[in-house]
Coordinates of all heavy atoms in Angstrom, one line a residue:
R54 N -6.5 6.1 -5.4 CA -7.5 5.3 -4.6 C -6.8 4.8 -3.4 O -7.3 4.8 -2.3 CB -8.2 4.3 -5.4 CG -9.3 3.6 -4.7 CD -10.1 2.7 -5.7 NE -11.1 2.0 -5.0 CZ -10.9 0.7 -4.5 NH1 -9.8 0.1 -4.6 NH2 -11.9 0.1 -3.9
S55 N -5.6 4.2 -3.7 CA -4.8 3.6 -2.6 C -4.3 4.6 -1.6 O -3.8 4.1 -0.5 CB -3.6 2.8 -3.2 OG -2.8 3.7 -3.8
H56 N -4.3 5.9 -1.9 CA -3.9 6.8 -0.9 C -4.6 6.7 0.4 O -4.2 7.0 1.5 CB -4.0 8.2 -1.5 CG -3.6 9.3 -0.6 ND1 -2.3 9.6 -0.3 CD2 -4.3 10.2 0.1 CE1 -2.2 10.7 0.6 NE2 -3.4 11.0 0.9
R57 N -6.0 6.3 0.3 CA -6.9 6.3 1.4 C -6.4 5.1 2.3 O -6.7 5.1 3.6 CB -8.3 6.0 1.0 CG -8.9 7.1 0.2 CD -10.0 6.7 -0.6 NE -11.0 6.0 0.2 CZ -11.9 5.1 -0.3 NH1 -11.8 4.6 -1.6 NH2 -12.8 4.5 0.5
W58 N -5.6 4.2 1.8 CA -5.1 3.1 2.7 C -3.7 3.4 3.2 O -3.5 3.1 4.4 CB -5.0 1.8 1.8 CG -6.3 1.0 1.7 CD1 -6.6 -0.2 2.5 CD2 -7.3 1.1 0.8 NE1 -7.7 -0.7 2.1 CE2 -8.2 0.0 1.0 CE3 -7.6 1.9 -0.2 CZ2 -9.5 -0.2 0.3 CZ3 -8.8 1.8 -0.9 CH2 -9.7 0.7 -0.7
F59 N -3.0 4.0 2.4 CA -1.5 4.1 2.7 C -1.0 5.5 3.0 O 0.0 5.6 3.7 CB -0.6 3.5 1.6 CG -0.8 2.0 1.3 CD1 -1.2 1.6 0.0 CD2 -0.5 1.2 2.3 CE1 -1.3 0.2 -0.1 CE2 -0.7 -0.2 2.1 CZ -1.0 -0.7 0.9
G60 N -1.7 6.5 2.5 CA -1.1 7.8 2.5 C -1.5 8.8 3.6 O -0.9 9.9 3.7
V61 N -2.5 8.4 4.2 CA -3.0 9.4 5.3 C -2.4 9.0 6.6 O -1.9 8.0 6.8 CB -4.6 9.4 5.4 CG1 -5.2 9.9 4.1 CG2 -5.0 8.1 5.8
T62 N -2.5 10.0 7.6 CA -1.9 9.8 8.9 C -3.1 9.6 9.8 O -3.7 10.5 10.4 CB -1.2 11.1 9.3 OG1 -0.1 11.4 8.3 CG2 -0.5 10.9 10.6
D63 N -3.3 8.3 10.1 CA -4.3 7.9 11.1 C -4.0 6.5 11.6 O -3.1 5.8 11.0 CB -5.8 8.0 10.7 CG -6.0 7.2 9.4 OD1 -5.4 6.2 9.2 OD2 -7.1 7.4 8.8
L64 N -4.7 6.0 12.5 CA -4.4 4.7 13.1 C -4.6 3.6 12.1 O -3.8 2.6 12.0 CB -5.3 4.5 14.4 CG -5.0 3.1 15.1 CD1 -3.6 3.1 15.6 CD2 -6.0 3.0 16.3
R65 N -5.7 3.6 11.3 CA -6.0 2.6 10.4 C -4.9 2.5 9.3 O -4.4 1.5 8.9 CB -7.3 2.8 9.7 CG -7.7 1.7 8.7 CD -7.6 0.4 9.2 NE -8.7 0.2 10.3 CZ -8.7 -0.8 11.1 NH1 -7.8 -1.8 11.0 NH2 -9.6 -0.9 12.1
S66 N -4.4 3.6 8.8 CA -3.3 3.6 7.8 C -2.0 3.2 8.4 O -1.2 2.5 7.7 CB -3.1 5.0 7.2 OG -4.3 5.4 6.4
F67 N -1.8 3.5 9.7 CA -0.6 2.8 10.3 C -0.7 1.3 10.2 O 0.3 0.6 10.0 CB -0.7 3.2 11.9 CG 0.3 2.6 12.7 CD1 1.6 3.1 12.9 CD2 0.0 1.3 13.2 CE1 2.5 2.4 13.7 CE2 1.0 0.7 14.2 CZ 2.3 1.1 14.3
G68 N -1.8 0.7 10.4 CA -2.0 -0.7 10.3 C -1.7 -1.2 8.9 O -1.0 -2.2 8.7
H69 N -2.2 -0.4 8.0 CA -2.0 -1.0 6.5 C -0.5 -0.8 6.1 O 0.1 -1.8 5.6 CB -2.8 0.0 5.6 CG -4.2 0.0 5.8 ND1 -5.0 1.1 5.5 CD2 -5.0 -1.0 6.2 CE1 -6.3 0.8 5.7 NE2 -6.3 -0.4 6.1
R70 N 0.2 0.3 6.6 CA 1.6 0.4 6.3 C 2.4 -0.6 7.0 O 3.4 -1.3 6.5 CB 2.1 1.8 6.5 CG 1.6 2.8 5.6 CD 2.2 4.2 5.8 NE 1.9 4.8 7.1 CZ 0.9 5.5 7.4 NH1 0.0 5.9 6.4 NH2 0.6 6.0 8.7
S71 N 2.1 -0.9 8.3 CA 2.9 -1.8 9.1 C 2.7 -3.2 8.6 O 3.7 -4.0 8.5 CB 2.5 -1.7 10.6 OG 1.2 -2.2 10.8
R72 N 1.6 -3.6 8.1 CA 1.4 -5.0 7.6 C 2.0 -5.1 6.2 O 2.5 -6.2 6.0 CB -0.1 -5.3 7.5 CG -0.8 -5.4 8.9 CD -0.1 -6.4 9.8 NE -0.9 -6.6 11.0 CZ -0.6 -7.5 12.0 NH1 0.5 -8.1 11.8 NH2 -1.3 -7.6 13.0
T73 N 2.2 -4.1 5.5 CA 2.9 -4.2 4.2 C 4.4 -4.3 4.5 O 5.1 -5.0 3.9 CB 2.5 -2.9 3.4 OG1 1.2 -2.8 3.2 CG2 3.2 -3.1 1.9
L74 N 4.8 -3.5 5.4 CA 6.2 -3.6 5.9 C 6.6 -5.0 6.4 O 7.6 -5.6 6.2 CB 6.6 -2.6 7.0 CG 6.5 -1.1 6.4 CD1 6.6 -0.2 7.6 CD2 7.7 -0.8 5.5
Q75 N 5.5 -5.6 7.1 CA 5.6 -7.0 7.6 C 6.0 -8.0 6.5 O 6.7 -9.0 6.7 CB 4.3 -7.4 8.3 CG 4.3 -8.8 8.9 CD 2.9 -9.2 9.4 OE1 2.0 -8.5 9.2 NE2 2.8 -10.4 9.9
M76 N 5.5 -7.7 5.3 CA 5.7 -8.6 4.1 C 7.1 -8.4 3.5 O 7.4 -9.1 2.5 CB 4.6 -8.5 3.1 CG 3.2 -9.0 3.6 SD 2.0 -8.9 2.4 CE 1.5 -7.2 2.4
G77 N 7.9 -7.6 4.0 CA 9.2 -7.3 3.6 C 9.4 -6.2 2.6 O 10.5 -5.9 2.0
Y78 N 8.3 -5.4 2.3 CA 8.4 -4.3 1.4 C 8.9 -3.1 2.1 O 8.6 -2.9 3.3 CB 7.0 -4.0 0.8 CG 6.5 -5.1 -0.1 CD1 5.4 -5.9 0.3 CD2 7.0 -5.2 -1.4 CE1 4.8 -6.9 -0.6 CE2 6.6 -6.3 -2.2 CZ 5.5 -7.1 -1.8 OH 5.0 -8.1 -2.6
A79 N 9.5 -2.2 1.4 CA 10.1 -0.9 2.0 C 9.0 0.1 1.7 O 8.2 0.0 0.7 CB 11.4 -0.6 1.4
R80 N 9.0 1.1 2.5 CA 8.0 2.3 2.2 C 8.2 2.8 0.7 O 7.2 3.2 0.1 CB 8.2 3.4 3.1 CG 7.6 3.2 4.6 CD 7.8 4.4 5.5 NE 7.0 4.2 6.7 CZ 7.5 3.5 7.7 NH1 8.8 2.9 7.7 NH2 6.8 3.3 8.8
E81 N 9.4 2.8 0.2 CA 9.6 3.3 -1.1 C 9.0 2.4 -2.2 O 8.8 2.8 -3.3 CB 11.2 3.3 -1.4 CG 11.9 4.4 -0.6 CD 12.1 4.0 0.8 OE1 12.0 2.8 1.2 OE2 12.6 4.8 1.7
D82 N 8.6 1.2 -1.7 CA 8.1 0.3 -2.8 C 6.6 0.7 -3.0 O 6.1 0.4 -4.2 CB 8.1 -1.1 -2.3 CG 9.5 -1.8 -2.3 OD1 10.2 -1.4 -3.1 OD2 9.7 -2.6 -1.4
F83 N 5.9 1.2 -2.0 CA 4.4 1.3 -2.1 C 3.9 2.7 -1.8 O 2.8 3.1 -2.3 CB 3.7 0.4 -1.3 CG 3.9 0.5 0.2 CD1 3.1 1.2 0.9 CD2 5.0 -0.3 0.8 CE1 3.3 1.4 2.3 CE2 5.1 -0.2 2.1 CZ 4.3 0.6 3.0
M84 N 4.6 3.6 -1.2 CA 4.2 4.8 -0.8 C 4.1 5.8 -2.0 O 5.1 6.0 -2.7 CB 5.0 5.5 0.2 CG 4.9 4.8 1.6 SD 3.3 5.1 2.4 CE 3.4 6.8 2.8
G85 N 3.0 6.4 -2.3 CA 2.7 7.3 -3.3 C 2.8 6.7 -4.7 O 2.9 7.5 -5.7
K86 N 2.7 5.5 -4.8 CA 2.8 4.8 -6.2 C 1.4 4.1 -6.4 O 0.7 3.6 -5.5 CB 3.8 3.6 -6.1 CG 5.3 4.3 -6.0 CD 6.4 3.2 -6.0 CE 7.7 3.7 -5.9 NZ 8.7 2.7 -6.1
P87 N 1.1 4.0 -7.7 CA -0.1 3.2 -8.1 C 0.0 1.8 -7.6 O 1.0 1.1 -8.0 CB -0.1 3.4 -9.7 CG 0.7 4.6 -10.0 CD 1.8 4.6 -8.9

């Protein structure tokens, strides 16, 4: 379900990923994971 937020390539997902990175997480922490 979270793939719709983090895994697709569009402007909204850019915002989701960038704000998660803003909190100090790395892409490896959340990309493709439950």
Side-chain angles (χ1 to χ4, degrees):
R54 185 171 178 269
S55 60
H56 180 76
R57 295 161 54 208
W58 275 264
F59 294 124
V61 297
T62 304
D63 61 18
L64 182 60
R65 180 56 63 192
S66 293
F67 171 92
H69 298 149
R70 290 188 295 268
S71 67
R72 292 304 188 179
T73 307
L74 294 167
Q75 177 188 3
M76 292 183 284
Y78 295 108
R80 282 184 173 82
E81 292 77 13
D82 289 331
F83 62 91
M84 289 292 289
K86 294 182 176 182

